[in-house]
Amino acid sequence: MQKVRKAVIPAAGLGTRMLPISRCVPKEMFPIVDRPAVSYLVNEAIESGMTEVLIITGRDKDAMEDYFDYSPEYDAALSAKGRAEEVELIHGEISRGNIFFTRQKEKKGLGHALTCARSFVGDEPFAVLYGDDIVFSETPVCKQLADSYEKHGRPVVGLKHVTKEQLRKFCSMKAELIPGSENEYTVTDMIEKPAPGKEFTDLAILGRVLLTPEIFDILEHTAPGAGGEIQLTDAMAEYARMYGMTGLVFEGKRFDLGSKLGFLEANLYAGVRHPEVGEAFAEMIKNFAKGL
Ligand code: UTP
C-alpha cells in the first residue's frame, strides 16, 4: 500500500459564521492561545508522516503565508533583547515539512477548493484537513486515518457520533461496523445536512478525510449541492456508493474554530494545558466560574 505523504488544507472559505472579524482575519489564523489554527493543522499532518502540505488560500488570506515565513524585523528585535534562542525555536517550528500554497479564485465550496489540489496530489493518496477543524488527540488524527487506509486499502472518512441536532449541520453516514472492529465501519452512502428523518446513522464526518485521486474525476461533474456550493460530501457519497469507503471513529477532542462557541471552547481546552500559562489560567477560570 502506498504511504500517505501528502496533505491538503482547504482554507479559502469566507467564514461567515465568524463575522465581522473574518472580513480581515482568516478564521484559519484565529489563535489557540498563541498559535494560529493552521499551524496546529500543519503540525498534525507532519507528525502523521505527511511532509508535503498544500494550503488552499484565497484573496485577503496572505497572513497564512506570512506566518510560515521568516520575519526579519521580529528576529532582529528578539536578538537585540538577548532572546535569540526564541528566534531559533520559531524558525524551527515554521520550517517543518514542505509547505505549498495555491489560491481558490472563486469561493464555490469545499469540493471546488479541493480541485485546486489536483496537480499537487498527482497519483497519490492524500489527507484533507478542514481548515477550521482542530483536533487534540494522543495519536494525530491523520495518522489514525493513514493506518486505517493502509489496513483496508480504501479511502477513509474521520467520524464521530453526534446528536440529532448536530447531524443537521453535518453529513450522516450509511455505515456498518466492520466485523471484529470497534471503531471502523464500511460506508456505502452519505447525506449532507439531512432533513429530520432523512439521516442514515448518528455518525458524521468531522474535519478529516483521506482520499485517493479518483475523487477529482467525480468532482469534475459534481453539481452544486447544499447552499449552492460544490460539496465534497456529494462527491464522496458517489465514491462510497460505487466502491465503499472506511469510516473511522477517531480518538480525539475536536473543535470547530469557524463557530464562536467552538473557538472559545478550544481556547479554554488548550489554555488550561498550556505549559506556560495553563496552571494560572485554570485558577483564573475557577475563580471566574464562582461569579457566574
Ligand atoms: P466551511 O463550510 O466551514 O467554510 O468549510 P466557510 O464557508 O468558510 O464557513 P461559513 O459557513 O461561511 O462560516 C470548511 C473548510 O473548507 C474551506 C474553509 O476555509 C474551511 O476551512 N473552504 C470552504 C474553502 O477552502 N473554499 C470554499 O469555497 C469553502
Side-chain angles (χ1 to χ4, degrees):
M1 191 56 52
Q2 220 173 351
K3 280 260 171 247
V4 189
R5 300 185 313 121
K6 293 183 177 174
V8 177
I9 303 177
L14 284 173
T16 55
R17 286 167 299 153
M18 287 303 264
L19 284 170
I21 188 168
S22 47
R23 290 175 313 140
C24 48
V25 180
K27 60 181 173 171
E28 297 80 7
M29 284 301 291
F30 287 172
I32 301 179
V33 188
D34 49 5
R35 285 172 168 70
V38 69
S39 78
Y40 286 83
L41 297 174
V42 166
N43 283 343
E44 180 188 323
I46 289 169
E47 280 154 22
S48 302
M50 299 157 195
T51 50
E52 312 291 300
V53 181
L54 174 69
I55 302 177
I56 300 172
T57 71
R59 270 184 307 285
D60 306 322
K61 295 220 175 194
D62 294 347
M64 270 188 283
E65 209 162 332
D66 293 341
Y67 182 79
F68 291 98
D69 197 357
Y70 287 181
S71 178
E73 203 179 349
Y74 278 90
D75 297 351
L78 283 175
S79 299
K81 289 177 198 282
R83 293 165 62 184
E85 74 284 359
E86 283 179 51
V87 176
E88 292 301 309
L89 280 176
I90 294 171
H91 284 188
E93 190 172 313
I94 60 171
S95 306
R96 301 176 78 195
N98 296 317
I99 305 177
F100 303 87
F101 296 89
T102 192
R103 279 189 178 198
Q104 181 191 21
K105 295 179 182 63
E106 291 174 283
K107 300 188 196 302
K108 293 205 260 183
L110 176 56
H112 177 260
L114 208 61
T115 61
C116 306
R118 189 168 196 159
S119 65
F120 166 80
V121 164
D123 59 0
E124 297 188 35
F126 63 104
V128 183
L129 299 88
Y130 299 15
D132 49 4
D133 271 309
I134 300 298
V135 185
F136 294 99
S137 56
E138 289 283 315
T139 304
V141 186
C142 282
K143 173 80 171 71
Q144 298 178 46
L145 264 60
D147 288 347
S148 176
Y149 170 76
E150 285 175 20
K151 189 155 57 154
H152 299 289
R154 59 186 184 190
V156 190
V157 286
L159 305 177
K160 284 282 186 195
H161 293 279
V162 301
T163 63
K164 273 219 152 88
E165 294 67 48
Q166 289 171 322
L167 214 48
R168 310 278 160 262
K169 297 183 287 174
F170 298 128
C171 180
S172 165
M173 300 295 110
K174 186 174 184 184
E176 261 185 47
L177 199 60
I178 294 176
S181 174
E182 282 178 1
N183 62 344
E184 285 177 304
Y185 293 76
T186 293
V187 172
T188 50
D189 205 353
M190 57 186 83
I191 177 168
E192 178 72 15
K193 300 189 174 57
K198 294 280 180 205
E199 62 275 342
F200 291 121
T201 62
D202 71 341
L203 287 166
I205 297 180
L206 289 189
R208 300 287 183 275
V209 297
L210 197 155
L211 301 172
T212 50
E214 293 81 39
I215 200 73
F216 294 115
D217 291 334
I218 300 178
L219 278 167
E220 293 240 309
H221 63 246
T222 302
E229 297 191 334
I230 297 175
Q231 297 286 350
L232 175 59
T233 44
D234 288 344
M236 290 193 295
E238 186 174 328
Y239 186 99
R241 286 193 294 270
M242 283 195 294
Y243 309 111
M245 297 174 93
T246 302
L248 173 77
V249 178
F250 59 82
E251 169 272 315
K253 184 113 182 77
R254 173 258 181 194
F255 299 93
D256 175 9
L257 279 232
S259 78
K260 295 176 181 69
L261 272 180
F263 166 72
L264 293 170
E265 196 188 10
N267 272 287
L268 284 180
Y269 185 91
V272 298
R273 287 164 177 77
H274 193 276
E276 188 187 323
V277 298
E279 225 171 287
F281 186 50
E283 207 49 43
M284 191 188 281
I285 294 171
K286 283 184 209 154
N287 286 331
F288 183 71
K290 283 182 202 154
L292 292 179

